[in-house]
Amino acid sequence: MSFLTVFYALLFYAATALMVVGLAVKIRQYARTPAPFKIPTTPGPITRGGVVARLFREVVLFESLFKGSKWSWLFGWLFHFGMLVVLVRHLRYFTEPIWFVALLAQDIGVYLGMAMLAGLIGLLGRRLLVDRLRYISAPSDYLMLLLLIAIAGTGLLMKYITHTDIVAVKAFFLGLMRADWQPLPADAMLLVHLTLVVVLMAVFPFSKLLHAPGIFFSPTRNQIDNPRERRHVAPWASKLDATRAPSK
Amino acid sequence: MAKAEFDTPQLKGIPVIPHLQPGAMAHSRPFVAKAEHQEPLGFPGELVDDWKTKAIDKMGELLTKYRALPVFLDACVKCGACTDKCHYYLGTADPKNMPVARQDLLRKVYRRYFTFAGKHFPKLVGAVELSEEVIEDWYRYYHQCSECRRCSVYCPYGIDTAEITMAGREILAHIGIGQKYSNEIIGKVHKIGNNLGLPRPALEDTLEGLEEEVEEDLGVKIRYPVDEKGADVLLVTPSADFFAEPHVDGLIGYGKVFHQAGISWTLSSYASEAANFGIFIGNYENMQKVAMRIRQAALDLGVKRIVVGECGHAWRVAYSFWNTLIGPFDFLDPKYPVPQHVCEFTYDLLQKGALKLDKAANDDKVVTFHDSCNVSRGSRMGDFPGGQFVIPREIIKASCNHYVDMAAETIHENTFCCGGGGGLLTDDLTELRVKGAVPRMEALKRVIDEDGVTHMAAICAICKSQFTKVLPFFGMGMDMIISVHQLVGDALVLGAEH
Ligand code: HEM
Ligand code: HEM
Ligand code: SF4
Ligand code: SF4
C-alpha cells in the first residue's frame, strides 16, 4: 500500500469524523437552545404545514433572497443547484450498483458543474465590486468562494482535459467505506481536488457553512404564527411564571 | 444640551442606495441612563469594574437562552441582501447601519470568545477582543436600530437584526451602560403604570375633560371610563392617546365605537399603558413585569375581554408575547381573541353591520396608510396571514372616499419604520430620527405629488409622535399624520340604527 493511499485514506476518515461530529455538536446546540418567544417574521404561516412549505421555499427557491437581491439570488441559486446536482452525480463514486438518482443526474450534471462555477464567479465578482459587500467581507468570505471555485475548477479540468482513472477512484472510496483499502491514482489534478474537498469538509462546522443546518433552526422562519391560540413558554422562562397573579 | 448640527437630507423622488460614508453617524449616541434609571430595573448604576468579563458572561448566558442568537450569529453568509434594506443606512450612509454590519459588531466578539475559528484565527474571520472601542460602537449603533425587522424579511435565513440589537442592549445594561430614555420610562411604568408617569387623579381629570369636550362638540355624551369594575372590555392603549395630538383623536374614536356598539368598557389607572419598552431593551424580566400590570388589572376589574389601542410595538408584545409572559388567559371570554386589536374590534363590528359610517365626513382628505413596522412584521390581525395589512385598510376605506397606497416596496411587510421606533423617540437622537425617516418621506412625497394625498393614517403612538416631529423638516405639515380611529370617529354616524 503506497504512502499516498494511506495518507489520503486517513485524511478522509479524519475529515469525515470532524465534519460529522462538529455538525452534530452544533445541531445539538441549536436544537437544545430554547426560543422563548414567538418571533416568526410575519406575515407567516399559521399552521405546521405552512411552516414546512415556507422552509421548503426558502431552501429550494431561496424565496427571501429573491425578494432581497436578484443578482445574489441568481448567482447563489445557480451555484447551489449546480453543486447539488454535481454532488448527486458524485454518488457514483460511492455506490455500487450506482444509485438510480446518480444515474439520472449524469446527463445534465456536466452543464451544472459549469453553472456552479459560473455562479461562484458571479458571487465573487459582486463581493469585489459592490462597496457594501466589500465592507462586510472578511478574508474567510473570499477564501470560501476561492476554495469552492478551485474545487469546481479542478473537477472540470479532470472532466475535460487531464482526465483521471475514475474506476480506480471509485475503488478507493468504496474501499474506504468497506474498510478494505484500494490504491488511489497518483494524479495531480485529482489529488488537488480531493485535498480541497477535505479542507471543505473540515471547515464545514466551524464556518458560515453552518447556514445549511442553521436555516432549519431559524425561529423567524420555522415558527408557526399562533401565539394567541397556543401558549409558548421556554423552560427557563416558565420559572418566572410563579410571579403571576392566579386567575382563579 | 449640545445638539449636533445636521442638514436635513433632500428628498430625491426616487429611492437611491447611498455609497458608504464610514463614520457618518459615529457621533450619534443617546444619553446614558443614570443610576436612578438603572437600579429600579435591576441593572447596575454605573459601569461595573470587571465589565469585560461581565459582558462576555452575559453574552454566554444569552446564547443559551435565546436560540436566535447562536443561529443568527453562525449562519450569516455575508450575502449582502440586507445591506440596503435599513432605513438608517439609507438615510445616513453610515456602513455600520447596514444590518449585517450592525450584527457584526456583536458577531466579531462572539467569534473571538465562543467559536473555534475566532479563537485561533481571529484575523481570518474578523474576530476581535472586547474593548472600550467595541463597547462604544455597540452603544452608538445598537441605538441606531429601531428593531423594525425589515432586514429579516429579505435575509435568506431570516436573520433578525432586532434580536441582535436587543442582545447588545441587554449586555450593555448589565454592565451599567443603559439608555436613559427607555429605562426612565420603564421605571415610570413600574412605579406609576404608564410611560408619562400620569397618576390616577390626573388620568381621571384628563378623561373627564375629554368627555366634556366631546359632548360640547357633538352634543352626545360619550363616556371615557376608568377603573369601572364589571365592564366587558379592558382597553389598554398607549398613554400618548390621553393627551397628544393626533393620538387623542384616536382615543375619541375608540370611545365613539364602543358607545355606538353599546359595549361597556373601561381603562385602568393601574395598567394605563399599552407600550412595553421592555422589548426595546431586550430584557425578559422587565418586559414581563410591565405586562403583568395588565393581567392584574384585567383580573381586578373582572373584564371579559382585553382590547389594545393603536400602538405598534405594544401590539407586537401583546399579540406575540402576552400569552407567553402573562398567560394563560383562561379567565377571559374564549369567544374573542386575547388580546384583540382595536382595529380587529372595529372591523368585526363593521362586518356585522353594527356601525354606520358616513364616508363623506372625510371628503376633505386623500388618505394613505403607513404600515407600522412591528405590526407588519411582528404580529398579525384577524385569522389569516397578512390580516394586519387588510384590516386597517378596510377600516380606512370604510371611513373615507379617497384612499391611495404608497409604493409597493414601502408598504405591507416591506414597510419602512417611521424612524423613531425601538426606544429612539427621544430628542437626543433627532438627527438620526430625521435621517431615518427619509425612505418613508420619499414614498409619502410621491403620493402627495402624484395623487394629492393630504393625510397619512397610522396605528402606532410612536409613528404618530415621530411624524409629527419630522414632517416639518421635509416641508410637510405636521398635522398630515392622523390616527386611523380619528377617521372612524369622524365618519361614525352616532345614534344610527344598528
Ligand atoms: C440546506 C442547504 C443550503 C441552503 C438552503 C443554502 C442557502 C444559501 C443561500 C440562500 C445563500 C445566499 C446566497 C448566496 O450568496 O449564494 C448561500 C450562500 C452560500 N452557501 Fe449555501 N446553502 C445550503 C448549503 C450549502 C452547502 C452544503 C455549501 C457548501 C459546500 C454552501 C455554501 C455556500 C457559500 C460558500 C455561500 C456564500 C456565497 C457568497 O460568498 O456569496 N451552502 N447559501
Ligand atoms: C470525496 C469526494 C469527491 C471525490 C472523490 C470527487 C471526485 C471527482 C472526480 C473523479 C471528478 C472527475 C469526473 C470525471 O472525470 O468525469 C470530479 C469532478 C467534479 N467535482 Fe468532485 N469529487 C469529490 C467531491 C466534490 C465536491 C464536494 C465538490 C463540490 C463542492 C466537487 C465538485 C466537482 C465538480 C464541479 C466536478 C466537475 C463536474 C462533474 O464531473 O460533475 N467534487 N470529482
Ligand atoms: S431591524 Fe430595522 S432598524 Fe434594525 S437593522 Fe434591521 S432594518 Fe435596520
Ligand atoms: S441578508 Fe442575512 S445572510 Fe445575508 S448578509 Fe444580511 S444577515 Fe447575512
Side-chain angles (χ1 to χ4, degrees):
Chain A
M1 190 101 359
S2 73
F3 168 74
L4 188 77
T5 300
V6 176
F7 182 73
Y8 272 88
L10 294 177
L11 214 52
F12 268 98
Y13 282 139
T16 309
L18 197 58
M19 184 169 101
V20 170
V21 175
L23 277 177
V25 168
K26 271 314 220 184
I27 289 173
R28 206 174 75 138
Q29 179 199 359
Y30 296 157
R32 288 197 167 179
T33 310
F37 286 122
K38 282 281 183 155
I39 57 168
T41 308
T42 59
I46 57 177
T47 59
R48 178 155 299 281
V51 164
V52 172
R54 181 184 213 174
L55 278 173
F56 179 85
R57 291 195 307 272
E58 291 293 358
V59 171
V60 178
L61 304 175
F62 298 0
E63 183 182 46
S64 296
L65 182 64
F66 185 77
K67 289 186 218 159
S69 163
K70 299 288 183 280
W71 285 112
S72 293
W73 178 84
L74 178 69
F75 294 137
W77 200 81
L78 266 183
F79 151 51
H80 284 84
F81 185 67
M83 179 170 65
L84 178 72
V85 178
V86 164
L87 290 179
V88 168
R89 231 168 86 86
H90 274 62
L91 286 176
R92 69 189 185 281
Y93 305 127
F94 304 92
T95 51
E96 185 56 54
I98 300 176
W99 279 5
F100 124 98
V101 262
L103 283 173
L104 271 187
Q106 292 314 310
D107 298 334
I108 49 163
V110 189
Y111 304 102
L112 286 158
M114 306 269 198
M116 173 183 168
L117 188 62
L120 284 165
I121 291 171
L123 289 172
L124 183 63
R126 267 181 68 73
R127 203 171 280 290
L128 290 167
L129 293 176
V130 179
D131 63 347
R132 285 170 284 125
L133 273 149
R134 265 202 315 274
Y135 182 90
I136 59 171
S137 301
S140 54
D141 296 311
Y142 296 103
L143 286 175
M144 187 61 77
L145 284 173
L146 292 174
L147 175 67
L148 286 160
I149 287 173
I151 292 177
T154 49
L156 287 166
L157 282 174
M158 258 189 294
K159 171 108 196 133
Y160 291 109
I161 302 177
T162 61
H163 301 294
T164 189
D165 181 353
I166 298 184
V167 178
V169 174
K170 175 163 185 168
F172 173 79
F173 280 97
L174 284 177
L176 282 188
M177 290 159 64
R178 294 168 185 164
D180 167 25
W181 296 2
Q182 303 295 320
L184 180 70
D187 180 341
M189 202 58 78
L190 176 69
L191 296 184
V192 175
H193 191 70
L194 294 185
T195 310
L196 296 174
V197 169
V198 164
V199 173
L200 183 73
M201 290 165 73
V203 300
F204 207 106
F206 307 101
S207 67
K208 66 178 181 181
L209 298 184
L210 287 171
H211 68 280
I215 188 168
F216 298 98
F217 292 95
S218 173
T220 57
R221 292 291 180 268
N222 77 3
Q223 287 186 338
I224 307 170
D225 173 22
N226 63 354
R228 286 194 291 198
E229 291 78 19
R230 275 172 164 265
R231 186 151 191 258
H232 171 92
V233 203
W236 65 263
S238 67
K239 295 194 193 98
L240 303 170
D241 276 0
T243 59
R244 242 175 31 221
S247 54
K248 276 167 190 131
Chain B
M1 190 180 79
K3 232 194 265 172
E5 293 288 324
F6 67 94
D7 297 324
T8 304
Q10 287 288 311
L11 297 185
K12 306 207 174 62
I14 41 154
V16 182
I17 302 168
H19 284 291
L20 307 182
Q21 289 173 31
M25 285 301 275
H27 57 277
S28 176
R29 68 202 291 282
F31 296 144
V32 177
K34 300 199 187 80
E36 70 204 78
H37 309 130
Q38 282 275 92
E39 280 158 4
L41 277 60
F43 303 135
E46 54 184 36
L47 185 65
V48 295
D49 291 334
D50 46 352
W51 56 269
K52 220 179 210 181
T53 332
K54 285 264 162 62
I56 299 300
D57 287 352
K58 191 74 202 172
M59 190 187 291
E61 181 195 324
L62 295 179
L63 284 164
T64 64
K65 280 180 151 180
Y66 295 89
R67 189 204 305 144
L69 287 184
V71 171
F72 290 172
L73 291 173
D74 285 340
C76 172
V77 296
K78 311 293 169 82
C79 73
C82 61
T83 53
D84 56 351
K85 301 300 185 288
C86 178
H87 51 289
Y88 291 120
Y89 173 70
L90 295 173
T92 68
D94 189 318
K96 287 179 183 159
N97 278 331
M98 297 189 291
V100 45
R102 196 187 311 286
Q103 298 157 24
D104 274 350
L105 298 174
L106 199 82
R107 184 178 286 118
K108 63 189 182 182
V109 177
Y110 162 74
R111 285 196 169 151
R112 186 74 183 99
Y113 295 87
F114 296 95
T115 70
F116 176 85
K119 280 179 193 159
H120 301 284
F121 310 98
K123 290 238 166 61
L124 184 71
V125 297
V128 303
E129 297 270 334
L130 187 57
S131 65
E132 268 170 63
E133 236 171 284
V134 170
I135 294 281
E136 196 36 56
D137 259 0
W138 284 4
Y139 192 74
R140 290 185 188 121
Y141 291 100
Y142 289 132
H143 293 105
Q144 298 190 37
C145 168
S146 56
E147 302 174 347
C148 78
R149 315 189 93 203
R150 188 167 197 262
C151 42
S152 86
V153 170
Y154 306 98
C155 173
Y157 321 112
I159 295 176
D160 178 8
T161 315
E163 294 291 317
I164 308 288
T165 292
M166 289 172 196
R169 293 184 186 177
E170 167 92 325
I171 296 170
L172 287 169
H174 275 88
I175 59 170
I177 318 178
Q179 185 219 21
K180 175 171 176 258
Y181 172 69
S182 294
N183 290 4
E184 188 175 13
I185 281 179
I186 295 170
K188 279 188 206 155
V189 179
H190 288 339
K191 224 162 118 190
I192 299 166
N194 56 61
N195 287 5
L196 300 173
L198 191 70
R200 178 179 170 155
L203 180 63
E204 284 170 345
D205 274 2
T206 310
L207 293 169
E208 254 169 51
L210 196 65
E211 277 180 12
E212 283 164 20
E213 204 179 294
V214 173
E215 190 169 4
E216 251 169 57
D217 267 14
L218 302 174
V220 183
K221 172 106 183 145
I222 306 234
R223 301 216 45 228
Y224 292 88
V226 64
D227 293 339
E228 283 197 358
K229 284 205 172 171
D232 277 348
V233 172
L234 169 64
L235 176 77
V236 186
T237 204
S239 53
D241 282 4
F242 302 136
F243 290 98
E245 284 290 344
H247 313 60
V248 67
D249 300 312
L251 177 61
I252 293 174
Y254 316 150
K256 289 182 184 170
V257 171
F258 281 117
H259 172 93
Q260 187 60 18
I263 296 175
S264 69
W265 67 290
T266 183
L267 292 155
S268 155
S269 63
Y270 178 73
S272 43
E273 181 62 70
N276 189 332
F277 280 30
I279 185 179
F280 295 160
I281 63 168
N283 185 269
Y284 195 104
E285 288 81 2
N286 276 290
M287 184 158 51
Q288 187 172 43
K289 198 170 157 192
V290 168
M292 202 64 87
R293 298 180 82 93
I294 292 154
R295 178 185 173 92
Q296 191 65 55
L299 285 165
D300 291 349
L301 295 167
V303 295
K304 301 198 185 85
R305 310 162 62 175
I306 306 178
V307 171
V308 179
E310 297 181 3
C311 187
H313 80 278
W315 179 241
R316 181 176 183 204
V317 173
Y319 171 86
S320 292
F321 304 160
W322 270 6
N323 202 0
T324 298
L325 292 168
I326 57 169
F329 294 109
D330 45 8
F331 56 96
L332 295 172
D333 187 340
K335 284 206 300 289
Y336 302 96
V338 189
Q340 191 174 28
H341 195 282
V342 68
C343 285
E344 292 179 308
F345 178 80
T346 299
Y347 183 68
D348 257 11
L349 294 170
L350 284 172
Q351 298 287 88
K352 288 188 197 133
L355 302 175
K356 186 162 179 259
L357 298 175
D358 170 23
K359 296 184 188 193
N362 286 309
D363 267 354
D364 56 330
K365 304 183 182 77
V366 182
V367 181
T368 191
F369 179 64
H370 166 76
D371 288 284
S372 295
C373 54
N374 272 266
V375 175
S376 302
R377 295 184 284 256
S379 77
R380 180 167 40 108
M381 288 181 205
D383 52 11
F384 56 99
Q388 67 269 40
F389 311 130
V390 175
I391 289 175
R393 282 179 174 75
E394 286 305 312
I395 296 177
I396 297 174
K397 287 179 192 163
S399 311
C400 70
N401 279 311
H402 311 293
Y403 176 79
V404 188
D405 260 324
M406 287 179 276
E409 65 277 12
T410 70
I411 59 169
H412 294 188
E413 73 262 42
N414 304 315
T415 191
F416 280 107
C417 164
C418 62
L424 308 180
L425 191 78
T426 167
D427 283 344
D428 33 328
L429 293 174
T430 300
E431 177 181 1
L432 179 77
R433 287 168 54 189
V434 169
K435 292 184 171 172
V438 166
R440 172 49 78 223
M441 292 295 108
E442 294 277 13
L444 177 60
K445 181 146 177 22
R446 263 162 73 192
V447 289
I448 291 176
D449 292 347
E450 289 166 18
D451 304 291
V453 161
T454 59
H455 291 81
M456 177 164 67
I459 46 170
C460 171
I462 289 179
C463 296
K464 292 171 200 170
S465 301
Q466 157 76 354
F467 287 131
T468 304
K469 166 120 185 173
V470 303
L471 278 164
F473 280 84
F474 297 93
M476 303 181 212
M478 61 191 264
D479 47 6
M480 278 195 77
I481 176 76
I482 52 174
S483 300
V484 166
H485 273 79
Q486 172 181 347
L487 291 169
V488 177
D490 287 352
L492 193 59
V493 182
L494 291 170
E497 280 300 308
H498 298 169

PDB file of all heavy atoms in Angstrom, chain A residues 2-3 6 19 39 89 106 114 116 120 131 158 162 185 189 197 211 227 240 242:
ATOM      1  N   SER A   2       0.670   2.111  -0.948  1.00  0.00           N
ATOM      2  CA  SER A   2       1.538   3.288  -1.052  1.00  0.00           C
ATOM      3  C   SER A   2       1.245   4.279   0.077  1.00  0.00           C
ATOM      4  O   SER A   2       0.151   4.298   0.637  1.00  0.00           O
ATOM      5  CB  SER A   2       1.323   3.983  -2.395  1.00  0.00           C
ATOM      6  OG  SER A   2       0.080   4.636  -2.376  1.00  0.00           O
ATOM      7  N   PHE A   3       2.257   5.111   0.365  1.00  0.00           N
ATOM      8  CA  PHE A   3       2.091   6.147   1.377  1.00  0.00           C
ATOM      9  C   PHE A   3       0.905   7.035   1.021  1.00  0.00           C
ATOM     10  O   PHE A   3       0.081   7.401   1.860  1.00  0.00           O
ATOM     11  CB  PHE A   3       3.379   6.971   1.465  1.00  0.00           C
ATOM     12  CG  PHE A   3       3.201   8.229   2.267  1.00  0.00           C
ATOM     13  CD1 PHE A   3       3.108   8.169   3.661  1.00  0.00           C
ATOM     14  CD2 PHE A   3       3.099   9.457   1.639  1.00  0.00           C
ATOM     15  CE1 PHE A   3       2.927   9.316   4.391  1.00  0.00           C
ATOM     16  CE2 PHE A   3       2.900  10.611   2.383  1.00  0.00           C
ATOM     17  CZ  PHE A   3       2.812  10.555   3.758  1.00  0.00           C
ATOM     18  N   VAL A   6      -2.439   5.528   1.934  1.00  0.00           N
ATOM     19  CA  VAL A   6      -2.672   5.535   3.381  1.00  0.00           C
ATOM     20  C   VAL A   6      -2.957   6.956   3.849  1.00  0.00           C
ATOM     21  O   VAL A   6      -3.897   7.218   4.605  1.00  0.00           O
ATOM     22  CB  VAL A   6      -1.428   4.977   4.116  1.00  0.00           C
ATOM     23  CG1 VAL A   6      -1.622   5.077   5.627  1.00  0.00           C
ATOM     24  CG2 VAL A   6      -1.176   3.544   3.695  1.00  0.00           C
ATOM     25  N   MET A  19     -16.270  16.507  10.424  1.00  0.00           N
ATOM     26  CA  MET A  19     -17.475  17.131   9.902  1.00  0.00           C
ATOM     27  C   MET A  19     -18.715  16.589  10.614  1.00  0.00           C
ATOM     28  O   MET A  19     -19.583  17.353  11.043  1.00  0.00           O
ATOM     29  CB  MET A  19     -17.578  16.909   8.398  1.00  0.00           C
ATOM     30  CG  MET A  19     -18.765  17.615   7.792  1.00  0.00           C
ATOM     31  SD  MET A  19     -18.717  17.629   6.000  1.00  0.00           S
ATOM     32  CE  MET A  19     -19.870  16.328   5.658  1.00  0.00           C
ATOM     33  N   ILE A  39     -41.327  34.536  17.437  1.00  0.00           N
ATOM     34  CA  ILE A  39     -40.805  35.645  16.649  1.00  0.00           C
ATOM     35  C   ILE A  39     -40.781  35.360  15.146  1.00  0.00           C
ATOM     36  O   ILE A  39     -39.854  35.771  14.455  1.00  0.00           O
ATOM     37  CB  ILE A  39     -39.387  36.054  17.113  1.00  0.00           C
ATOM     38  CG1 ILE A  39     -38.421  34.862  17.056  1.00  0.00           C
ATOM     39  CG2 ILE A  39     -39.401  36.642  18.504  1.00  0.00           C
ATOM     40  CD1 ILE A  39     -36.946  35.270  17.217  1.00  0.00           C
ATOM     41  N   ARG A  89     -24.433  13.487  -8.741  1.00  0.00           N
ATOM     42  CA  ARG A  89     -23.656  12.785  -9.763  1.00  0.00           C
ATOM     43  C   ARG A  89     -22.468  12.061  -9.139  1.00  0.00           C
ATOM     44  O   ARG A  89     -22.108  10.945  -9.541  1.00  0.00           O
ATOM     45  CB  ARG A  89     -23.122  13.819 -10.756  1.00  0.00           C
ATOM     46  CG  ARG A  89     -23.371  13.530 -12.206  1.00  0.00           C
ATOM     47  CD  ARG A  89     -23.042  14.764 -12.985  1.00  0.00           C
ATOM     48  NE  ARG A  89     -21.606  14.818 -13.326  1.00  0.00           N
ATOM     49  CZ  ARG A  89     -21.089  14.246 -14.392  1.00  0.00           C
ATOM     50  NH1 ARG A  89     -21.859  13.569 -15.224  1.00  0.00           N
ATOM     51  NH2 ARG A  89     -19.818  14.333 -14.643  1.00  0.00           N
ATOM     52  N   GLN A 106     -26.589  12.084 -14.461  1.00  0.00           N
ATOM     53  CA  GLN A 106     -25.387  12.030 -15.304  1.00  0.00           C
ATOM     54  C   GLN A 106     -25.419  13.048 -16.444  1.00  0.00           C
ATOM     55  O   GLN A 106     -24.476  13.801 -16.644  1.00  0.00           O
ATOM     56  CB  GLN A 106     -25.193  10.627 -15.907  1.00  0.00           C
ATOM     57  CG  GLN A 106     -24.839   9.551 -14.904  1.00  0.00           C
ATOM     58  CD  GLN A 106     -23.751   9.943 -13.927  1.00  0.00           C
ATOM     59  OE1 GLN A 106     -22.698  10.424 -14.322  1.00  0.00           O
ATOM     60  NE2 GLN A 106     -24.008   9.768 -12.643  1.00  0.00           N
ATOM     61  N   MET A 114     -20.566  23.486 -14.716  1.00  0.00           N
ATOM     62  CA  MET A 114     -20.267  24.813 -15.277  1.00  0.00           C
ATOM     63  C   MET A 114     -21.137  25.888 -14.602  1.00  0.00           C
ATOM     64  O   MET A 114     -20.657  26.982 -14.287  1.00  0.00           O
ATOM     65  CB  MET A 114     -20.598  24.858 -16.770  1.00  0.00           C
ATOM     66  CG  MET A 114     -19.937  23.766 -17.550  1.00  0.00           C
ATOM     67  SD  MET A 114     -18.354  24.346 -18.143  1.00  0.00           S
ATOM     68  CE  MET A 114     -18.050  23.155 -19.429  1.00  0.00           C
ATOM     69  N   MET A 116     -22.391  25.833 -11.676  1.00  0.00           N
ATOM     70  CA  MET A 116     -21.888  26.039 -10.322  1.00  0.00           C
ATOM     71  C   MET A 116     -20.707  27.014 -10.347  1.00  0.00           C
ATOM     72  O   MET A 116     -20.654  27.982  -9.577  1.00  0.00           O
ATOM     73  CB  MET A 116     -21.459  24.687  -9.744  1.00  0.00           C
ATOM     74  CG  MET A 116     -20.761  24.778  -8.417  1.00  0.00           C
ATOM     75  SD  MET A 116     -20.231  23.130  -7.868  1.00  0.00           S
ATOM     76  CE  MET A 116     -19.164  23.613  -6.513  1.00  0.00           C
ATOM     77  N   LEU A 120     -20.452  30.812  -8.773  1.00  0.00           N
ATOM     78  CA  LEU A 120     -19.411  31.187  -7.804  1.00  0.00           C
ATOM     79  C   LEU A 120     -18.642  32.414  -8.270  1.00  0.00           C
ATOM     80  O   LEU A 120     -18.339  33.312  -7.481  1.00  0.00           O
ATOM     81  CB  LEU A 120     -18.445  30.016  -7.603  1.00  0.00           C
ATOM     82  CG  LEU A 120     -18.989  28.876  -6.731  1.00  0.00           C
ATOM     83  CD1 LEU A 120     -18.133  27.624  -6.889  1.00  0.00           C
ATOM     84  CD2 LEU A 120     -19.041  29.307  -5.267  1.00  0.00           C
ATOM     85  N   ASP A 131     -19.508  48.089  -3.110  1.00  0.00           N
ATOM     86  CA  ASP A 131     -18.806  48.611  -1.923  1.00  0.00           C
ATOM     87  C   ASP A 131     -19.392  48.101  -0.620  1.00  0.00           C
ATOM     88  O   ASP A 131     -18.666  47.834   0.333  1.00  0.00           O
ATOM     89  CB  ASP A 131     -18.721  50.158  -1.952  1.00  0.00           C
ATOM     90  CG  ASP A 131     -20.095  50.832  -1.896  1.00  0.00           C
ATOM     91  OD1 ASP A 131     -21.115  50.135  -2.082  1.00  0.00           O
ATOM     92  OD2 ASP A 131     -20.144  52.065  -1.670  1.00  0.00           O
ATOM     93  N   MET A 158     -10.428  17.956 -14.706  1.00  0.00           N
ATOM     94  CA  MET A 158     -10.324  16.500 -14.769  1.00  0.00           C
ATOM     95  C   MET A 158     -11.300  15.926 -15.778  1.00  0.00           C
ATOM     96  O   MET A 158     -11.003  15.023 -16.529  1.00  0.00           O
ATOM     97  CB  MET A 158     -10.688  15.910 -13.409  1.00  0.00           C
ATOM     98  CG  MET A 158      -9.518  15.496 -12.579  1.00  0.00           C
ATOM     99  SD  MET A 158     -10.095  14.601 -11.149  1.00  0.00           S
ATOM    100  CE  MET A 158     -10.989  15.815 -10.233  1.00  0.00           C
ATOM    101  N   THR A 162      -7.504  16.845 -18.200  1.00  0.00           N
ATOM    102  CA  THR A 162      -6.459  15.925 -17.747  1.00  0.00           C
ATOM    103  C   THR A 162      -6.952  14.482 -17.587  1.00  0.00           C
ATOM    104  O   THR A 162      -6.189  13.552 -17.733  1.00  0.00           O
ATOM    105  CB  THR A 162      -5.875  16.397 -16.405  1.00  0.00           C
ATOM    106  OG1 THR A 162      -6.932  16.396 -15.451  1.00  0.00           O
ATOM    107  CG2 THR A 162      -5.300  17.792 -16.533  1.00  0.00           C
ATOM    108  N   PRO A 185      -5.204   6.609  -7.400  1.00  0.00           N
ATOM    109  CA  PRO A 185      -4.343   7.026  -8.511  1.00  0.00           C
ATOM    110  C   PRO A 185      -3.545   8.278  -8.129  1.00  0.00           C
ATOM    111  O   PRO A 185      -4.107   9.225  -7.597  1.00  0.00           O
ATOM    112  CB  PRO A 185      -5.325   7.351  -9.644  1.00  0.00           C
ATOM    113  CG  PRO A 185      -6.632   6.795  -9.240  1.00  0.00           C
ATOM    114  CD  PRO A 185      -6.627   6.640  -7.762  1.00  0.00           C
ATOM    115  N   MET A 189      -4.118  16.476 -10.537  1.00  0.00           N
ATOM    116  CA  MET A 189      -5.384  17.208 -10.506  1.00  0.00           C
ATOM    117  C   MET A 189      -6.353  16.565  -9.513  1.00  0.00           C
ATOM    118  O   MET A 189      -7.044  17.245  -8.766  1.00  0.00           O
ATOM    119  CB  MET A 189      -5.981  17.227 -11.914  1.00  0.00           C
ATOM    120  CG  MET A 189      -6.959  18.335 -12.141  1.00  0.00           C
ATOM    121  SD  MET A 189      -6.243  19.955 -11.849  1.00  0.00           S
ATOM    122  CE  MET A 189      -5.324  20.180 -13.356  1.00  0.00           C
ATOM    123  N   VAL A 197     -11.359  19.225  -1.143  1.00  0.00           N
ATOM    124  CA  VAL A 197     -12.609  18.694  -0.599  1.00  0.00           C
ATOM    125  C   VAL A 197     -12.440  18.373   0.884  1.00  0.00           C
ATOM    126  O   VAL A 197     -13.325  18.653   1.706  1.00  0.00           O
ATOM    127  CB  VAL A 197     -13.068  17.455  -1.399  1.00  0.00           C
ATOM    128  CG1 VAL A 197     -14.212  16.748  -0.665  1.00  0.00           C
ATOM    129  CG2 VAL A 197     -13.496  17.854  -2.797  1.00  0.00           C
ATOM    130  N   HIS A 211     -24.794  27.849   7.743  1.00  0.00           N
ATOM    131  CA  HIS A 211     -26.102  28.328   7.291  1.00  0.00           C
ATOM    132  C   HIS A 211     -26.963  27.174   6.817  1.00  0.00           C
ATOM    133  O   HIS A 211     -28.180  27.273   6.845  1.00  0.00           O
ATOM    134  CB  HIS A 211     -25.965  29.374   6.178  1.00  0.00           C
ATOM    135  CG  HIS A 211     -25.435  28.858   4.883  1.00  0.00           C
ATOM    136  ND1 HIS A 211     -24.106  28.646   4.648  1.00  0.00           N
ATOM    137  CD2 HIS A 211     -26.053  28.512   3.725  1.00  0.00           C
ATOM    138  CE1 HIS A 211     -23.937  28.206   3.398  1.00  0.00           C
ATOM    139  NE2 HIS A 211     -25.104  28.106   2.821  1.00  0.00           N
ATOM    140  N   PRO A 227     -49.396  32.674  18.345  1.00  0.00           N
ATOM    141  CA  PRO A 227     -49.150  32.925  19.769  1.00  0.00           C
ATOM    142  C   PRO A 227     -50.424  33.120  20.588  1.00  0.00           C
ATOM    143  O   PRO A 227     -50.432  32.837  21.778  1.00  0.00           O
ATOM    144  CB  PRO A 227     -48.307  34.203  19.768  1.00  0.00           C
ATOM    145  CG  PRO A 227     -48.584  34.862  18.470  1.00  0.00           C
ATOM    146  CD  PRO A 227     -48.886  33.757  17.505  1.00  0.00           C
ATOM    147  N   LEU A 240     -40.311  31.898  35.785  1.00  0.00           N
ATOM    148  CA  LEU A 240     -40.735  33.256  36.133  1.00  0.00           C
ATOM    149  C   LEU A 240     -42.253  33.355  36.244  1.00  0.00           C
ATOM    150  O   LEU A 240     -42.781  34.323  36.770  1.00  0.00           O
ATOM    151  CB  LEU A 240     -40.233  34.246  35.079  1.00  0.00           C
ATOM    152  CG  LEU A 240     -38.725  34.264  34.846  1.00  0.00           C
ATOM    153  CD1 LEU A 240     -38.387  35.093  33.614  1.00  0.00           C
ATOM    154  CD2 LEU A 240     -37.999  34.817  36.056  1.00  0.00           C
ATOM    155  N   ALA A 242     -44.163  31.978  38.136  1.00  0.00           N
ATOM    156  CA  ALA A 242     -44.618  31.936  39.524  1.00  0.00           C
ATOM    157  C   ALA A 242     -45.006  33.322  40.031  1.00  0.00           C
ATOM    158  O   ALA A 242     -45.818  33.457  40.937  1.00  0.00           O
ATOM    159  CB  ALA A 242     -43.522  31.346  40.405  1.00  0.00           C
TER     160      ALA A 242
END
